[in-house]
Amino acid sequence: MCFTAAWLALAGWACGSGSTAPEVVAPAVEQAFPGESGPVQTAFVATARGTREVTFQRIRGERVVEGDILLAPGQLRPEGVAQSSHSAQGATTHGSYRWPQGRIPYVFRSDLPADTQAEVNAAINHWQHFTSIRLVPRTTEANYVVFQPGSGCSSYVGMVGGAQAVTLEAACNLGSAVHEIGHAVGLWHEQSRTDRDAHVNIHWQNIQPGMEYAFQTYRERGFNGYWEGSDLGGYDVRSIMHYTSWAFSVNGQPTITTKSGGLIEGHRIGLTPGDTDAVEELYEGSTPAVVRLDATRLARVVRKPNTHLYYSEWNGSAWTAEVDLGGTIRSSPAIASWAPDRVDIFAIGVDRAVLHKFKQGTVWSEWGSLGGYATSAPAAVSWGPNRIDLVVRGGDNAIWHRAWDGVVWHGWGSIGGLATSAPTVTSWGPDRLDIFVRGGDNAIQHKAWAGRWYDWGSLGGSATSAPAATAWGVNRLDILIRGPDGAIWHKAWNGVWHDWGSLGGSTWGAPAVTARGVNQLDMFVRGSDGFLYQQAWTGSQWTGWYLLGVPMY
Ligand SMILES: [Zn+2]
């Protein structure tokens, strides 16, 4: 089989003569110690929700989970330590196993063979091309990854403290190297997600005796998914973190198939859009949301790693002090406004329902739930007084819509599409909506409402983030994305579509944009240094990026 998707061609991994495509046929599953087994044991492990009992195999002194995941001694806890709720402890732990600012220092152990070093370099380039993660040669950092030779392919999950090994024997191919770096970044196995039974079937009778534990969901082992870094984005059977159908098979028959009985080949060519989406959900945490309040005032809201939202207003000359809006929020927020003294804020809660909080005058409401099942951050817009249109990506990766008409919230309805990012929505006037998402080929897809829904259509582009969009007048649209080079790219409509053009910058995650008035734009990004940056279009020129001094990490 030959994959020719655009995201592969971008990486220079296109099929054909002279290509450097890695092995298409994946190993049945990555293993730390192929062919070896050991006693199944349990121990209490520090997780984001307190101590949990985890099952593993003890092989050569290591604690091996699901074949290739290693538990670090520093993650173990004495039995009987009281469990704490995620609201008390989760945020801190959730933040702490992520690498600060997505920056992973690394070294090659001196005995790592040159061809394996070349493979790791290719895997690093792949990660840096498709995500905001940066692997940098270590100087003096205390926490770092050591790429080393040894038995099998294995890694710890997330930053565990000190030097942590990613072990790659010669038989580990490039796809497996990308997979093991995925564990080090903080990803778990896709097929153990708490929601996997809705997507795949496990064939227990075909599993090697003693390995059944490796097919439990993380929920069955006491995890709730999100706080530990699984269940990010939508379920993706093509994820590079997914087992193959033959993982730990005792009889050559599949141990895991799709709901329709299809085989899972164990995709190890590269990160899928679903994988990059999961990484951005794990690490972005704070893509800003902004909205115009009136001709001079803006409102912005960001999420920080303590899972709270923080709100601030531009009063014409300065940003006001941030207000802690609380919440237990797992997504970037959305913001809408239909009047100068009205702000509506939306975000996704731990149960994936959409949460809503609003400010009328100077009074904030409590958080309330609008239900739904979101696998992305929400987006919202108001095209008139007392009107809100809300969109999210659902569990089926389609976009779902819900509207407030001043009296009631209408029910959730699907408007189709196949999104690999959160949607964005804008409006240039009453009863008009323009919705944008990133599609499976990383191009931007567009759908409009103008009295009826129009079909999805592609606007091209190559996005490494969700899009942002605004409309400063009738028949005017401005769209922003983060490109593969980390810069922000812009496309406009004023009756015709103009080409994508770069606005520069070195950014993390998705941009945000709003318009204070006709022919004006205010855009916001999180820079690769973790701080919030702003750039404006004044009607005649771009101002260039300037630092707001607001830390977003
Ligand atoms: Zn693995």
Side-chain angles (χ1 to χ4, degrees):
M1 181 178 287
C2 181
F3 294 91
T4 55
W7 55 271
L8 281 173
L10 269 172
W13 285 5
C15 301
S17 62
S19 86
T20 55
E23 288 288 328
V24 173
V25 178
V29 63
E30 286 80 10
Q31 294 186 60
F33 304 106
E36 298 183 42
S37 64
V40 175
Q41 300 179 354
T42 62
F44 285 85
V45 170
T47 79
R49 303 188 75 198
T51 55
R52 295 292 188 189
E53 192 169 23
V54 171
T55 304
F56 55 85
Q57 278 182 297
R58 198 69 191 259
I59 309 175
R60 296 202 210 176
E62 295 283 358
R63 297 169 182 83
V64 183
V65 180
E66 298 179 359
D68 69 331
I69 294 172
L70 304 183
L71 295 176
Q75 293 175 289
L76 303 181
R77 291 290 178 271
E79 186 172 352
V81 174
Q83 294 187 3
S84 62
S85 73
H86 65 259
S87 58
Q89 187 182 340
T92 305
T93 311
H94 179 60
S96 68
Y97 91 96
R98 293 184 294 183
W99 296 87
Q101 300 175 46
R103 187 176 174 278
I104 306 177
Y106 73 92
V107 298
F108 290 143
R109 208 172 77 182
S110 58
D111 57 348
L112 189 69
D115 53 351
T116 308
Q117 289 190 27
E119 188 173 81
V120 171
N121 281 327
I124 288 172
N125 287 340
H126 185 76
W127 268 96
Q128 298 191 148
H129 190 90
F130 288 106
T131 74
S132 304
I133 297 295
R134 289 293 170 266
L135 289 107
V136 295
R138 174 184 182 244
T139 53
T140 59
E141 292 89 348
N143 302 318
Y144 60 100
V145 164
V146 181
F147 290 100
Q148 65 180 37
S151 168
C153 328
S154 64
S155 176
Y156 301 88
V157 173
M159 186 182 78
V160 300
Q164 62 184 83
V166 170
T167 301
L168 297 168
E169 67 176 19
C172 303
N173 64 18
L174 178 53
S176 292
V178 174
H179 174 103
E180 298 305 337
I181 292 174
H183 285 314
V185 165
L187 300 179
W188 295 81
H189 284 144
E190 190 81 354
Q191 80 286 340
S192 298
R193 288 168 55 125
T194 62
D195 60 351
R196 69 103 190 272
D197 288 330
H199 302 275
V200 295
N201 291 324
I202 305 298
H203 303 281
W204 297 96
Q205 71 279 11
N206 297 334
I207 296 171
Q208 295 168 16
M211 289 307 297
E212 294 88 350
Y213 83 92
F215 289 81
Q216 289 182 312
T217 66
Y218 294 125
R219 173 171 291 153
E220 287 163 343
R221 297 177 224 176
F223 297 87
N224 84 339
Y226 172 66
W227 296 110
E228 292 79 19
S230 73
D231 288 25
L232 297 164
Y235 194 92
D236 181 6
V237 294
R238 284 174 55 79
S239 167
I240 201 164
M241 306 309 291
H242 204 297
Y243 272 8
T244 78
S245 280
W246 298 274
F248 299 110
S249 173
V250 70
N251 54 11
Q253 297 298 306
T255 54
I256 180 167
T257 57
T258 65
K259 276 292 175 193
S260 58
L263 295 175
I264 298 164
E265 64 186 284
H267 173 80
R268 291 291 183 274
I269 292 181
L271 296 164
T272 64
D275 289 328
T276 61
D277 202 30
V279 172
E280 298 306 330
E281 181 175 346
L282 180 61
Y283 275 88
E284 71 179 7
S286 49
T287 289
V290 292
V291 70
R292 168 193 192 272
L293 297 176
D294 58 35
T296 56
R297 293 163 59 236
L298 301 175
R300 74 158 197 253
V301 62
V302 299
R303 190 191 77 154
K304 297 193 178 183
N306 66 359
T307 76
H308 293 189
L309 298 189
Y310 288 82
Y311 177 83
S312 177
E313 290 183 10
W314 174 258
N315 60 19
S317 58
W319 286 99
T320 59
E322 287 188 324
V323 176
D324 183 348
L325 301 183
T328 305
I329 304 301
R330 67 179 291 169
S331 76
S332 293
I335 190 167
S337 173
W338 72 60
D341 62 349
R342 172 76 186 203
V343 169
D344 289 88
I345 290 172
F346 304 89
I348 308 305
V350 175
D351 61 356
R352 293 188 181 275
V354 177
L355 301 178
H356 178 214
K357 189 181 183 81
F358 62 89
K359 182 166 79 82
Q360 185 69 53
T362 58
V363 180
W364 285 99
S365 74
E366 296 299 318
W367 285 102
S369 177
L370 296 175
Y373 183 85
T375 60
S376 76
V381 70
S382 291
W383 51 249
N386 232 340
R387 172 76 194 196
I388 303 170
D389 288 87
L390 177 64
V391 287
V392 297
R393 187 182 61 181
D396 56 359
N397 290 328
I399 300 303
W400 289 71
H401 169 249
R402 187 170 196 192
W404 167 259
D405 65 5
V407 179
V408 296
W409 280 102
H410 294 253
W412 288 103
S414 174
I415 56 172
L418 184 61
T420 62
S421 75
T424 188
V425 59
T426 189
S427 174
W428 70 52
D431 209 26
R432 171 77 194 199
L433 296 173
D434 287 277
I435 297 170
F436 304 88
V437 298
R438 185 182 62 179
D441 56 359
N442 288 334
I444 297 303
Q445 302 288 321
H446 172 226
K447 186 180 184 74
W449 166 271
R452 68 174 180 86
W453 287 112
Y454 288 77
D455 287 342
W456 289 98
S458 178
L459 300 180
S462 180
T464 56
S465 75
T470 193
W472 51 251
V474 173
N475 214 18
R476 174 73 197 198
L477 296 168
D478 288 275
I479 306 162
L480 301 177
I481 57 174
R482 179 184 184 274
D485 55 358
I488 297 301
W489 288 71
H490 170 241
K491 187 179 182 73
W493 163 268
N494 62 351
V496 296
W497 285 111
H498 296 258
D499 285 343
W500 291 100
S502 176
L503 300 179
S506 175
T507 68
W508 186 294
V513 63
T514 190
R516 265 178 282 187
V518 171
N519 204 9
Q520 293 183 39
L521 297 173
D522 283 282
M523 63 187 71
F524 297 80
V525 296
R526 182 164 62 141
S528 54
D529 59 1
F531 283 83
L532 188 63
Y533 285 77
Q534 184 174 0
Q535 172 162 214
W537 168 256
T538 64
S540 58
Q541 62 181 336
W542 296 101
T543 60
W545 293 105
Y546 51 96
L547 177 67
L548 289 180
V550 178
M552 306 262 297
Y553 48 83

